[in-house]
Structures are given as structure tokens and as C-alpha cells.
Amino acid sequence: MRTEQILAGLLVIVSLGCAELCFGQNAVNTFSVEQLRTLKSRDEFDSLEIITRRMLKDLPPDPGPLRYDAEYYLAFALGMKDDPRGATDHAQQAYLIARSLADTTRMLESLYQLTKLNVEGRHYGEADHHRRDHLGLARRYGKDTTQLVLALNSIGSMHSRQEVRDSAVYYYREGLRMLGDRQHIARQALLGNLASSLGERGQHVEAERLWRQAVAEADNMDPRNKAWMYNNLGQTLLHAERYREALVALDQSDSLNKVSGSALDLAIELAEIRADILDSIGDVHGAYQWIKHARDLQDTLFERSMNEQLLELETSFGTRLKEEEIQRLDAENKEKAERLHAKNLQLYGSLAFALLLLFAIVLVWRNLRQKRNYSTVLERLNVELNERKDHIEEINRLLQLKVLRTQMNPHFIYNSLNAIHNLVNKGETVSASAYLDGFARLLRMVLDHSLKELVPLEDELAFLRQYIKLEALRFADGFVHTVDAEPNLLDAMDEILVPSLIIQPFVENAIWHGLASKQGDKKLTVRFVEKEGKLICTVEDNGVGRQAAPQREHPDGSASIGLQLTSERLQLLSYSLGGSGRVTFTDLMDACEPQGTRVEVVLNENLSTASSSRQGH
């Protein structure tokens, strides 16, 4: 498919050249703009990029409508091809051109594009700035109702993200009022966003009505979008405690999802909602089965991601081997050519016996030269072999690291599911329900973390808080716990990256080896600090200490391997993190009596350098 799009782009370039010869520059420009719209509607992003880059190269540097169109459509193509930086740069150029032309319609168009690109890139501050400019300009202009509707929807989304739901509802309703009865793509977005906001405010009846209206107006040619709408309708009916109707909506969503290709993310969410419904009506066993099914789907999604990454590594490695094979064949051809030349010299030398002495001198000189050449070739081959060996060792380290992560995630999920199973067997339905709800959210966080090698510090803090909160439900009296970071790290949490799921086993060890068997007050502290340019996580408990801690086993008798896997993963990560990944255990004592355990994990030994490098980008 990608090859066909490139060929289509080349055909477009040829047709542009013919148009330029036949009709002149103005005809080419008009045809180019129409072609850009056609390529965008057909999702032919490679061809769209080829055409727009050629236009920018051939057009004069002065700002003009055609140059604006080239910048705008190139930004769109790069955004769809996962190049957010390039897309944002060209979108900004388009906005500057529109301002210089005083073209309000194009300014509105480019502001909306900049808003979307910044939201997708998680630059929310810039996105909110562009949203407000877009809304203010659309209100002043007053001639383009569509742009005003898009601006109102965008501002509503901003307030929804900030959890200012009254303002969000106001802007969504205003957008629908401005749109009236016109059918437009923004109508679906406004109906869905308004329904979600009303549902969050507890207005489930109106939220249901809006979702049903959105489903009725949805395009039947887009079953995936319609499937998500039925899924959201099911969630609304769940919150309204209309469980049977919710299950019917989920069945419709599941059918449409199967027709549109069985998206795993939707299937996972459907399974989690079914589990919530069954738990709400008292079918704890059924809820457990759906949660188990959701876990299996998440494992499938994770395995698929792993396979894609492994295939990419294998492809890269195969390409490198082919390049080395080509270089080896070139060396052999050169060597054969040299030998043929030597034979010719010998033949010519035999024809002139009188030049035997000269031939002998030449022969000696040639032999010396060949020895030097052979030595050079051998040295080069040795260097290439060493580089190849280092490359293979690096790939092996990456593969081992991925295998360990694959082992750690099922290990963690097994422990959590076992806890749910124990609560169900004990008949503690309230605790089981609370644990199921927290576990569903935690599974989504584990899935997000599992797909990444490094995650922002902010995400790791949120994950640990949710995990400890979940574990505290299993204690009769709970325990005091804090998860935080020192202030200078809080200011740059989105720029500081840590290995995903690396601290959880130490927290689990502190809870079940240190605090579980302790009598009296229990306290657990997790804190991220910076010491001498190093990022260090400290896990401290006031438990019984390592000497008195019982050895923990799984219900089936197998030993816990979480710390072992984490230790092996830290050893592998230490290579790419410049020597990081050290763990230190300290027994806390008071008058020779154990008072708990402190664990220090060095996650990054070049924190200041890494932060400055990211800020520079």
C-alpha cells in the first residue's frame, strides 16, 4: 500500500509537469491545490508530502495563498505520519503566512490545526493558548460558523480536562446551538463530549439521550466509531444502575467491533465494563471471569507489541548482515581484479627475457605491496568482526531485557488476581468489589507502562500510589503510606524518565515481608530524591526487619520471584543508563532491635545532564 501511494505521488508530479507546459504557472498552481485536497481525502499521506515539499521548493519565498496551502497540507501529512515536531513547525509557518495576508479564514484554520497538534503532542499549555486565540478570533469574525463551533468544542474539551465540568457543558451546548440541525463532523464530537460531561455530573438520563442521539446520527460506514459510542452508552447505563440495558448496548458494541476488525483496546474496555456490571448485580464469579478475560486480552496486546518490536530488531539486524555481505563481495572482487592484473604482468614479463631482472624487481615489489594490502584487509576485517560482535551482544541484552519484562508483568498480575480470588473465597464481597474496581484501573496503568521502557516520573508516582492503595485494602486496619518526590523533581516530573514497573517489587516486598506480620502502627514511605546528580528512590518501612520477615510463597507453593526479576532487569539496564541500577538494603535498628528496612535504588546517575538535554530539545 505504501509503494502504491509513492507511485501515485510520482504520477501526480508528472501530471503537474505536463500541466505547467500546457497551461502555464497559474494552471499548475490551481491544479496543485485541488490535488492536495484529493490526496488528503484519500489518506495518501506519502504523495501529499512529496507534492507539498516540491511546491515549497519551487515557489518564491514571499508569503502567498499557495505557499500557505503547501505549508498547511504538509503539516497535516507529517502529523498523520507521526512526525509531531515537523508538523508543528509547518503549521506555525502556515499561521504566520495567514497573519501576514490578514486572511482570517486561513488564520482560523491554522489555529485549529495547531491546537490539535499540541494536544496530540501533550503540550497542553500551548494547546490552551491556541484554543483561546481560536475562540476569540472566531467570535470577532462571525462569518464562519463552522470554525466557531470547532473553537467552542475545543474550549469545552480544555475545561473537561481541567475537571471544570459546568464550563465544559456550557461550551458544548453553545456549540450545538450554533450548529443547529446541520449535519457536520463536529456534531458527533459535541454530542459525545456533552454526554460524557453530563454523565460525570451524575445526569445519566440526559447523557443516555445524547448517546442514543449520537448513535442514531452516526455514519453506518464507520462501524468502529459507532462501536465506541455504544460502549460509552453502556457505561452511562451502568452508572444509572440500568444493568440489563447496559449489557444490551455492550453486545451491540461488541458486534460492531468484530465487524470493524476486533480492536483489542475496545475489547478490553468492554470486558472491564461487563465485570463492573456483573459485580454490581452480585455475580462475583462472572465478574472475575470477565476480569480474567480482560487480562488475557491485555497479554495478547502486549505480546503483539513485543512481536512487532522483535521483528523490527530482526529486520534491522538482517539489513546489517546484508550490508556486510555486500562489502565482503566487493573486497573479493577487488582481490580477484588484483590477481588478474598480476597474471597479465607475468605474461608480459615472459615475452621479454631481456627484462628478466626488471621483472624480478617488479615481482618483489608487487609481493611486498600485496602483503601490505593483505595486512590492511585483515585489520579492517578484525575491526568489522569486533563491531559485529558488540552489535550482537547489544541485541542480546535488549532481547533479555524484553524477556524479563514479559516475565515481570504476568508475575505482578498473578499476585493481584490471587488476592481477588482469596477475597471472593472468604465471602468479603464489599472488599472484592472495591479491589476489582481498583485492580481494573491498575491493569490499564500496567498495560500503558508495559509498552514503554521508560516512563515520566509523574506516571510512576501515580502508578505506585494506586498500587499501594490497592494493597492497603487487604489489611484489616490498613497502614499509613506516602508516595512523593522532593520539590525540585516535582517541577520537572514530565521531563524525568525512570524505568517502568521497577519500584513495585520493592514496595510489594516491604508490605508483605515487613508490614504484614507487624503488630501495631504500620508505615510505608516511598520517596524520589536527587543526590549528587543521581535519581534515587527510597522505599522505607517500619516493619519487622529482614531477619524476622517470613519467606513469602504463592498459594501454589512457588517462590516469589519479583525481586529476582527486578535485580536482573536492573543489571541489564545499568549498561544503557551508564552504570545505574544499584540497590542497597539497610536494616533500621534501635537499641539492637529491628525497626524496619530501607531500600535505596539508584535509577539514573546523570540526572542533571539528562534533564538539561531534554530541556534543550
Side-chain angles (χ1 to χ4, degrees):
M1 184 64 181
R2 193 175 183 87
T3 304
E4 293 176 356
Q5 292 177 351
I6 294 175
L7 290 175
L10 294 176
L11 290 174
V12 170
I13 292 175
V14 173
S15 62
L16 285 174
C18 294
E20 184 174 357
L21 291 175
C22 298
F23 305 107
Q25 184 65 30
N26 291 334
V28 173
N29 294 346
T30 303
F31 180 75
S32 298
V33 174
E34 294 300 325
Q35 187 64 37
L36 298 181
R37 295 193 182 100
T38 302
L39 292 174
K40 177 185 175 184
S41 64
R42 294 178 180 174
D43 294 338
E44 296 179 9
F45 307 122
D46 290 327
S47 301
L48 186 61
E49 181 183 1
I50 292 171
I51 296 298
T52 50
R53 288 193 184 279
R54 178 177 180 268
M55 291 174 62
L56 291 174
K57 180 180 179 182
D58 295 342
L59 287 170
D62 299 332
L66 188 57
R67 192 167 190 86
Y68 166 86
D69 290 331
E71 295 281 7
Y72 175 81
Y73 283 105
L74 178 55
F76 180 84
L78 294 177
M80 299 304 295
K81 293 177 64 177
D82 294 328
D83 183 4
R85 170 168 290 188
T88 303
D89 289 343
H90 287 284
Q92 289 173 343
Q93 289 299 320
Y95 176 64
L96 293 175
I97 293 173
R99 287 188 59 180
S100 66
L101 296 174
D103 189 329
T104 306
T105 300
R106 285 188 167 92
M107 289 171 64
L108 289 168
E109 186 179 52
S110 56
L111 278 172
Y112 183 68
Q113 185 182 54
L114 280 170
T115 300
K116 290 185 63 177
L117 290 172
N118 278 285
V119 169
E120 292 168 359
R122 297 185 179 182
H123 304 303
Y124 297 121
E126 288 293 323
D128 293 344
H129 174 72
H130 292 309
R131 280 190 178 109
R132 298 183 188 279
D133 288 349
H134 187 203
L135 179 61
L137 183 59
R139 281 176 168 168
R140 292 194 301 271
Y141 186 50
K143 297 180 181 179
D144 193 337
T145 306
T146 300
Q147 287 294 333
L148 181 55
V149 168
L150 292 174
L152 290 169
N153 180 61
S154 184
I155 289 291
S157 298
M158 179 189 71
H159 286 296
S160 178
R161 180 171 59 82
Q162 296 172 343
E163 297 185 358
V164 186
R165 296 187 179 90
D166 291 342
S167 298
V169 168
Y170 168 78
Y171 283 105
Y172 293 144
R173 290 190 188 278
E174 187 68 11
L176 287 171
R177 186 187 69 80
M178 294 292 299
L179 197 59
D181 295 331
R182 282 187 300 159
Q183 294 300 319
H184 189 273
I185 188 173
R187 184 178 183 83
Q188 292 289 322
L190 286 166
L191 287 172
N193 291 337
L194 178 57
S196 297
S197 297
L198 292 173
E200 292 171 353
R201 293 201 313 181
Q203 298 175 244
H204 304 304
V205 175
E206 187 174 3
E208 177 201 355
R209 180 184 65 79
L210 290 169
W211 278 123
R212 293 192 183 278
Q213 182 180 351
V215 169
E217 296 179 6
D219 186 0
N220 292 326
M221 299 302 293
D222 188 4
R224 176 166 296 182
N225 183 43
K226 203 166 185 177
W228 278 104
M229 290 182 182
Y230 272 115
N231 172 73
N232 294 328
L233 174 60
Q235 285 185 336
T236 300
L237 292 170
L238 164 63
H239 295 313
E241 299 182 357
R242 296 162 61 183
Y243 303 121
R244 301 300 176 188
E245 296 178 53
L247 289 174
V248 172
L250 295 180
D251 289 339
Q252 292 173 315
S253 176
D254 187 43
S255 299
L256 290 171
N257 187 37
K258 292 177 180 177
V259 171
S260 62
S262 298
L264 281 177
D265 54 347
L266 178 55
I268 293 170
E269 188 160 330
L270 287 171
E272 292 173 346
I273 298 174
R274 288 181 191 274
D276 289 340
I277 294 174
L278 293 177
D279 179 64
S280 299
I281 62 179
D283 187 357
V284 178
H285 178 72
Y288 173 77
Q289 293 299 322
W290 277 109
I291 284 293
K292 185 175 181 298
H293 179 61
R295 183 206 62 181
D296 293 339
L297 291 174
Q298 288 168 338
D299 288 344
T300 301
L301 182 61
F302 177 73
E303 182 179 358
R304 181 179 298 176
S305 175
M306 286 287 297
N307 290 337
E308 291 175 355
Q309 294 180 46
L310 289 174
L311 180 60
E312 182 178 352
L313 283 173
E314 291 172 357
T315 302
S316 176
F317 184 59
T319 302
R320 176 66 182 275
L321 290 178
K322 289 179 181 179
E323 291 176 352
E324 292 177 352
E325 181 67 15
I326 291 172
Q327 293 176 357
R328 186 183 65 79
L329 292 174
D330 288 342
E332 290 180 355
N333 289 333
K334 290 180 180 179
E335 185 178 358
K336 290 179 180 179
E338 290 177 357
R339 290 178 180 176
L340 180 61
H341 181 61
K343 290 180 179 180
N344 290 333
L345 288 177
Q346 292 175 359
L347 178 61
Y348 296 147
S350 64
L351 297 177
F353 181 78
L355 299 177
L356 180 59
L357 182 58
L358 179 60
F359 174 78
I361 295 173
V362 171
L363 183 60
V364 171
W365 174 80
R366 183 184 62 82
N367 289 335
L368 292 175
R369 186 184 64 176
Q370 285 182 342
K371 288 181 179 180
R372 288 195 297 271
N373 290 338
Y374 290 152
S375 299
T376 303
V377 171
L378 287 175
E379 291 176 358
R380 185 172 68 252
L381 288 175
N382 286 332
V383 171
E384 291 176 354
L385 287 174
N386 290 332
E387 291 177 351
R388 180 176 175 183
K389 179 181 178 182
D390 293 340
H391 183 69
I392 292 174
E393 290 177 353
E394 173 65 14
I395 290 178
N396 286 335
R397 279 190 291 269
L398 290 174
L399 292 176
Q400 291 173 5
L401 184 59
K402 291 181 183 297
V403 170
L404 282 177
R405 290 180 64 201
T406 305
Q407 291 175 326
M408 288 182 67
N409 295 332
H411 161 77
F412 164 71
I413 294 174
Y414 174 84
N415 290 342
S416 299
L417 287 177
N418 184 57
I420 297 173
H421 181 68
N422 290 337
L423 290 173
V424 172
N425 287 340
K426 293 178 181 178
E428 299 179 8
T429 57
V430 175
S431 298
S433 176
Y435 204 98
L436 275 171
D437 182 62
F439 179 61
R441 290 193 297 272
L442 190 63
L443 275 180
R444 295 302 296 268
M445 299 175 76
V446 170
L447 177 61
D448 291 339
H449 282 50
S450 298
L451 299 178
K452 304 172 184 176
E453 186 60 56
L454 299 174
V455 298
L457 177 58
E458 182 179 10
D459 293 350
E460 183 69 10
L461 289 172
F463 167 76
L464 291 174
R465 292 187 183 110
Q466 178 63 20
Y467 169 74
I468 296 174
K469 177 182 177 182
L470 200 62
E471 291 287 35
L473 294 176
R474 297 168 62 184
F475 283 73
D477 299 324
F479 56 87
V480 178
H481 55 273
T482 58
V483 179
D484 63 358
E486 62 182 14
N488 63 317
L489 295 179
L490 292 174
D491 294 337
M493 281 199 299
D494 58 337
E495 299 176 355
I496 298 175
L497 301 179
V498 299
S500 62
L501 301 178
I502 201 70
I503 301 301
Q504 179 271 333
F506 297 104
V507 176
E508 178 184 2
N509 192 59
I511 293 173
W512 294 108
H513 288 272
L515 299 179
S517 56
K518 174 182 170 59
Q519 301 297 324
D521 295 336
K522 303 177 179 66
K523 183 176 180 181
L524 173 65
T525 302
V526 181
R527 184 170 177 82
F528 290 82
V529 299
E530 178 184 0
K531 293 182 180 179
E532 300 177 356
K534 302 176 183 178
L535 177 61
I536 299 176
C537 177
T538 302
V539 181
E540 183 173 327
D541 65 82
N542 67 340
V544 298
R546 289 192 298 169
Q547 297 297 326
Q551 294 296 321
R552 186 177 176 217
E553 293 184 346
H554 294 300
D556 61 358
S558 61
S560 176
I561 61 171
L563 286 180
Q564 176 186 348
L565 294 177
T566 302
S567 177
E568 293 176 8
R569 185 178 171 206
L570 279 169
Q571 291 176 9
L572 290 172
L573 282 171
S574 65
Y575 177 82
S576 58
L577 294 178
S580 305
R582 295 195 302 274
V583 182
T584 303
F585 291 86
T586 303
D587 295 320
L588 304 178
M589 308 295 290
D590 184 9
C592 298
E593 292 293 327
Q595 298 296 318
T597 306
R598 180 189 299 119
V599 182
E600 289 189 350
V601 184
V602 180
L603 297 174
N604 192 329
E605 293 191 350
N606 300 293
L607 181 61
S608 59
T609 303
S611 298
S612 62
S613 175
R614 285 189 297 272
Q615 292 170 358
H617 288 293

